[in-house]
Amino acid sequence: MKKLHTLFWIVILLCVAGTVVFLILSPARIPVHYNFAGEVDRIGSKYENLIWPGFAIAMGVFFQLTAGSQEKKGEQTNAKILLYAGLCSLIFFTLLGFFFMAKALRYDPEAAPRVSGDDAIRFVSIGIGVQLVVLGNIMPKMRRNAMFGLRTKWSMANDAVWQKSQRFGGIASVIAGFCMILLSPFIPGKWNLVMMTAVIVIWLILCLAASRRYYLADRANKDDPS
């Protein structure tokens, strides 16, 4: 567990150090927003990029405190899984920040965009896909709790329904993640965003439906006198 906590702070320090280097190298005014074509549609202060280390610190503290609360309850497995999930999210967010900072450093107002809007959306879509794959491998191992996993009024009914729901949710997450990873490189612009949204919505609907189905089946078995 100590190694995971250490990894959190290493990633946070990398995010802070990378942002400091960026602030030193970049001019005072830089691109801070892009449209779907990858064209700059807003120029702002380079210090707006302090949002990356600020959010990284907040995210790191949140996940570590949440995992700590699980440890105090004796839920070592839940705590470890929360740290893995949080670390994955933190790495993704840090890389996303570096992506946009590198893009801003390469910006030339006289030249055509070197990185299109498609590239940014693909980066996000693939990154979310990877996180879904990681989440899918974590969910079946998570014990029933009120903070993490496929938490519905049905899955929280008892441990049996919880485990079945998490197992289904894990498989669905892995499939959804791989769909996003494999499809993103071939789908352009806003259609990539549509695909990403559609996959997530379908994933959520299937997970909710499965959770309800397991609950109803469990209740039917208990009501059956035979």
Side-chain angles (χ1 to χ4, degrees):
M1 297 287 280
K2 289 183 179 180
K3 290 182 179 179
L4 287 174
H5 285 285
T6 301
L7 283 173
F8 260 93
W9 290 110
I10 289 174
V11 176
I12 290 172
L13 288 174
L14 284 173
C15 185
V16 172
T19 305
V20 170
V21 171
F22 167 78
L23 293 177
I24 293 172
L25 296 177
S26 63
R29 305 285 290 177
I30 60 167
V32 293
H33 195 270
Y34 305 84
N35 59 25
F36 280 112
E39 300 166 339
V40 177
D41 57 12
R42 188 167 78 86
I43 299 292
S45 169
K46 65 180 180 180
Y47 293 105
E48 289 187 36
N49 283 275
L50 288 172
I51 188 175
W52 303 110
F55 194 81
I57 292 170
M59 184 187 299
V61 171
F62 170 77
F63 274 102
Q64 291 190 78
L65 288 177
T66 303
S69 69
Q70 290 293 304
E71 283 187 79
K72 291 179 180 178
K73 296 177 182 178
E75 297 288 354
Q76 298 295 323
T77 300
N78 283 2
K80 193 171 184 179
I81 289 173
L82 279 169
L83 288 176
Y84 275 120
L87 186 60
C88 181
S89 299
L90 182 61
I91 291 172
F92 168 70
F93 188 81
T94 299
L95 291 176
L96 185 64
F98 287 167
F99 175 88
F100 282 107
M101 284 187 274
K103 185 174 180 179
L105 283 175
R106 296 197 302 268
Y107 175 66
D108 181 354
E110 304 300 326
R114 296 183 186 181
V115 182
S116 71
D118 288 3
D119 294 320
I121 296 174
R122 286 189 180 112
F123 183 93
V124 172
S125 185
I126 292 173
I128 293 176
V130 170
Q131 290 193 81
L132 282 174
V133 172
V134 173
L135 177 65
N137 284 278
I138 288 174
M139 287 176 66
K141 303 171 186 176
M142 178 67 76
R143 294 166 61 93
R144 184 156 56 118
N145 69 94
M147 302 183 67
F148 186 80
L150 177 53
R151 293 173 291 107
T152 67
K153 65 179 182 179
W154 305 298
S155 66
M156 296 294 290
N158 57 57
D159 288 337
V161 177
W162 171 268
Q163 289 299 330
K164 291 179 181 178
S165 298
Q166 303 316 305
R167 191 178 303 114
F168 179 91
I171 294 172
S173 295
V174 170
I175 293 173
F178 275 121
C179 283
M180 293 172 66
I181 293 169
L182 296 175
L183 293 176
S184 290
F186 306 102
I187 301 178
K190 62 182 180 181
W191 295 110
N192 202 317
L193 186 61
V194 171
M195 178 276 296
M196 177 171 56
T197 303
V199 168
I200 292 175
V201 169
I202 293 171
W203 168 67
L204 285 172
I205 291 174
L206 290 176
C207 287
L208 290 172
S211 177
R212 183 175 184 274
R213 178 174 174 271
Y214 291 135
Y215 169 76
L216 292 176
D218 181 79
R219 190 173 66 177
N221 288 335
K222 290 179 179 178
D223 293 340
D224 187 354
S226 62

